[in-house]
Amino acid sequence: MPAIERRLLEVLAAAGPDPAATPANPRDCLDRAYEAAYAEDHHGAVTLARLGLEQATESDTDTVLALYSVLIAVAQIQDQTSDAEYYLAQRVDRLRSAGRNVQASVEADLGTVLFREATAAELPVLEAALEQLQAAKAPVGVLADVKLAIAVAHSQKGVRSTAVALLEDAVEGYAAGERTDSLAGALMYLAHTYLQMDQPGQAVAAADRLLAIPANRALAASMWLLKANLANTGEHDDDAIEYALTALELYAACGVRKGAISAAVVVAQLCAAAGDAESSVLAWRAAVQQAERGEVQEELTLRLALGNQLLEAEEYELAAQVLGKLLQRQRLTDAPHSDKARTLMSLGHAHRHAERTADTLDCWREAVAEFTGGGEYGEAARSLLAIGTLLSREDHDADAIVCFEAAVAAARKSSDDAAALPQALHALGHAMCEAGDQDGITQLDEAIRLARDYGAHWYEADYSDTRARGLWALDHGPAAVSAALQAADLYSAADDAASAGNSELFAAHVLAELDRPADAVPMFRMVLAQPEVSRMLRVAANLGLSAALDSLGRKDEAEEARRAAEEAAEN
């Protein structure tokens, strides 16, 4: 089994952190308290921090101070101001007993602002305090605390150049003061600020520096995920997958569900892009599992992504199971119309691939109703086009045309989906022409005009090619030839030489069918003269040319063309 699959299966099998497990020591309590705080488990963070304080001894000063920092920060998140002030007072006392009087005085003066994001009104106070401390030559660690607080406030305001300079100073101050926990937090802020400033090299360097020092799993995971996103350039996808998978393992192990979901989604997308469908499906499963465990709101969206990935992996029965269960959940929770409609469309595709036509049509018809109920008329039109196309393949041509007409009507109601109407007109016009209805050309002409108005040059060419074939279906041979050559010119203008060649080949075949072989011969030769003619096109053009030459009595040339067709087919 490939390593990626094995590691994803291990994530799926793991239960995550055991809340009943007692941490081994105060340091372990601190790490788990940090992780619980990142997981937004505020009660767990407080419980673990208090347990750490109970286990601590006189020699655990740095750990005790960090535990109080967690308690102060969490209390402020929960708007428990009196608790935050109580824990700060305890922290200040511990600082004084440890002989860190300058730091104790600074924290007593500035209060709890050093343990949360400062507001704009608090910035002048912090900046004035920094000036005074610098003038007094305060310890580098104390200066770093104030610089970090100011930097975070500037970053929140979008003044990132100021923030990054302060963060760089804070990092060096914490390093010099040997305050590892504070250094890790500052490096995380620094890495993300570099990322926001579009400086990926510096962001990775900061992340690597953090990963080289002791840090809790949640912090480390955030840096691995940052590296994964930066490594995903199309050239280092193996590295990106490794980084994202490492982040997923760490986030899942410490119960940071939202982080685990983000990492799993990155793994899923990278594996899909690399053609590893099995690993992609497992990663989507991990994302769904983490969402379920964390009761994350995006769970249903992730389930749809999982179903769609299973479709991509051609696991149609499994996709139908996942999407069917998702649809049940959406109905029970009265999900928005558009969400149910998209699930129904994907479920319909799963049924279609499993050759359950009736189930497919039921899903897609219900999707039409849901899209219409949500006012998404463009999507309703596309659903009707899917139904019509399937009916046409099942030889229910009259029913297909009814669906295409309904698609046109729905598309005309859409005010924000310009592509829906020409697509619907194109399908309707083609079907009507095939059924012998002259009005099909009118529909195609409108589709061509809309494509031209929107500047959609390739679609203008494509619809023009369909118009040529529609004219031929309606027995308008000369007009079909003219329309096909016009489509070829439009394709050439849209830089699609292959499609242009197909249109010219169609025109040549029509000329041959009209018993005009003398006109067909130069047309076939024109197709063959184009540079980089595909093998299939070369075979078809040579076969058509040989038939036209035969009918003109030019046997030697016809035989030469047949040999060229055979050579092209063999190669």
Side-chain angles (χ1 to χ4, degrees):
M1 179 185 296
I4 295 174
E5 287 184 43
R6 176 182 53 75
R7 291 167 68 183
L8 286 168
L9 286 169
E10 288 173 356
V11 170
L12 286 163
D18 181 2
T22 302
N25 51 54
R27 178 72 234 184
D28 192 20
C29 286
L30 175 61
D31 286 338
R32 285 185 53 185
Y34 275 133
E35 291 165 1
Y38 282 114
E40 300 177 9
D41 176 11
H42 300 141
H43 174 74
V46 170
T47 300
L48 287 160
R50 286 174 175 168
L51 180 61
L53 291 175
E54 291 173 7
Q55 295 179 354
T57 65
E58 286 300 318
S59 63
D60 295 319
T61 296
D62 288 336
T63 300
V64 167
L65 292 172
L67 288 166
Y68 278 124
S69 296
V70 172
L71 289 167
I72 297 165
V74 171
Q76 292 189 96
I77 291 172
Q78 296 180 302
D79 292 325
Q80 296 172 347
T81 305
S82 59
D83 285 350
E85 291 174 349
Y86 169 77
Y87 291 131
L88 176 61
Q90 296 295 309
R91 180 181 154 91
V92 168
D93 286 347
R94 189 58 182 256
L95 283 167
R96 293 194 193 284
S97 66
R100 303 180 188 179
N101 293 316
V102 175
Q103 186 174 358
S105 297
V106 169
E107 293 187 12
D109 290 343
L110 293 176
T112 58
V113 68
L114 293 177
F115 303 89
R116 59 169 168 81
E117 293 177 2
T119 65
E122 291 167 327
L123 260 180
V125 175
L126 288 168
E127 289 171 336
L130 178 60
E131 287 185 15
Q132 292 173 1
L133 290 166
Q134 287 174 325
K137 301 187 184 310
V140 290
V142 177
L143 294 174
D145 286 335
V146 182
K147 287 178 180 179
L148 178 62
I150 296 171
V152 173
H154 279 300
S155 182
Q156 293 299 318
K157 290 170 58 181
V159 188
R160 297 193 178 97
S161 57
T162 301
V164 79
L166 287 163
L167 284 167
E168 288 170 341
D169 286 349
V171 163
E172 298 313 319
Y174 287 136
E178 298 183 347
R179 287 177 51 184
T180 305
D181 290 313
S182 299
L183 173 60
L187 283 167
M188 180 194 70
Y189 272 116
L190 181 59
H192 284 294
T193 304
Y194 278 136
L195 191 62
Q196 292 166 347
M197 295 177 68
D198 196 23
Q199 296 180 12
Q202 291 92 325
V204 169
D208 285 339
R209 188 171 174 184
L210 192 160
L211 292 169
I213 63 175
N216 65 77
R217 291 172 295 183
L219 263 184
S222 71
M223 294 297 95
W224 284 116
L225 187 55
L226 178 147
K227 287 180 55 136
N229 287 318
L230 289 176
N232 181 20
T233 62
E235 298 177 1
H236 308 293
D237 287 346
D238 288 345
D239 287 344
I241 292 172
E242 172 62 27
Y243 299 156
L245 187 50
T246 302
L248 169 59
E249 291 167 332
L250 290 170
Y251 273 135
C254 64
V256 181
R257 304 303 182 194
K258 290 184 178 179
I261 291 165
S262 297
V265 169
V266 173
V267 173
Q269 292 171 339
L270 288 170
C271 287
D276 185 354
E278 291 80 5
S279 295
S280 182
V281 168
L282 288 174
W284 281 118
R285 283 190 174 282
V288 171
Q289 181 194 70
Q290 293 296 318
E292 288 175 341
R293 290 179 174 176
E295 298 181 0
V296 175
Q297 190 174 7
E298 292 82 1
E299 178 204 339
L300 298 184
T301 302
L302 293 167
R303 284 190 178 278
L304 178 58
L306 170 59
N308 287 333
Q309 187 58 51
L310 287 166
L311 285 175
E312 289 287 328
E314 299 182 4
E315 295 283 353
Y316 303 125
E317 294 297 345
L318 189 54
Q321 292 175 24
V322 170
L323 293 165
K325 289 179 181 178
L326 170 59
L327 184 60
Q328 290 177 358
R329 291 276 301 278
Q330 289 174 325
R331 285 169 172 162
L332 287 171
T333 58
D334 196 23
H337 290 292
S338 62
D339 290 354
K340 286 183 282 189
R342 284 170 173 78
T343 300
L344 284 160
M345 288 304 297
S346 293
L347 181 56
H349 282 296
H351 287 315
R352 177 177 61 84
H353 285 295
E355 299 183 358
R356 294 188 288 267
T357 301
D359 290 336
T360 301
L361 293 172
D362 286 344
C363 285
W364 288 351
R365 285 169 179 146
E366 189 178 347
V368 172
E370 293 289 351
F371 277 130
T372 302
E376 293 191 55
Y377 297 110
E379 292 301 326
R382 290 187 181 87
S383 303
L384 285 161
L385 290 178
I387 296 170
T389 300
L390 181 56
L391 288 169
S392 179
R393 289 174 182 168
E394 296 288 322
D395 295 325
H396 299 297
D397 295 332
D399 292 335
I401 288 175
V402 171
C403 282
F404 294 147
E405 288 173 338
V408 170
R412 291 193 191 280
K413 294 180 181 179
S414 178
S415 59
D416 58 354
D417 192 338
L421 181 56
Q423 288 173 353
L425 288 164
H426 176 234
L428 176 60
H430 174 70
M432 290 176 71
C433 289
E434 290 295 315
D437 188 337
Q438 302 282 340
D439 285 342
I441 297 300
T442 303
Q443 311 299 324
L444 290 168
D445 283 341
E446 184 179 356
I448 292 166
R449 185 171 63 254
L450 288 170
R452 185 184 305 123
D453 291 345
Y454 296 142
H457 302 301
W458 188 89
Y459 286 100
E460 181 186 358
D462 191 49
Y463 300 163
S464 296
D465 181 81
T466 301
R467 183 178 185 276
R469 295 168 196 270
L471 287 166
W472 178 235
L474 294 167
D475 294 326
H476 300 313
V481 172
S482 176
L485 293 176
Q486 182 181 10
D489 289 341
L490 290 169
Y491 275 130
S492 295
D495 295 323
D496 187 347
S499 294
N502 279 321
S503 293
E504 291 168 348
L505 179 63
F506 174 70
H509 279 304
V510 171
L511 287 169
E513 289 290 327
L514 291 173
D515 199 22
R516 293 169 53 184
D519 294 324
V521 166
M523 186 66 66
F524 283 122
R525 292 195 187 282
M526 182 171 70
V527 172
L528 293 166
Q530 298 299 322
E532 299 182 6
V533 178
S534 70
R535 183 174 63 87
M536 294 300 294
L537 196 62
R538 187 175 297 280
V539 170
N542 272 304
L543 288 175
L545 175 59
S546 68
L549 290 166
D550 263 334
S551 64
L552 292 171
R554 296 157 63 178
K555 303 300 181 181
D556 291 343
E557 292 176 79
E559 181 59 30
E560 182 182 348
R562 271 190 291 274
R563 284 197 300 270
E566 291 171 0
E567 290 175 5
E570 290 172 359
N571 294 329

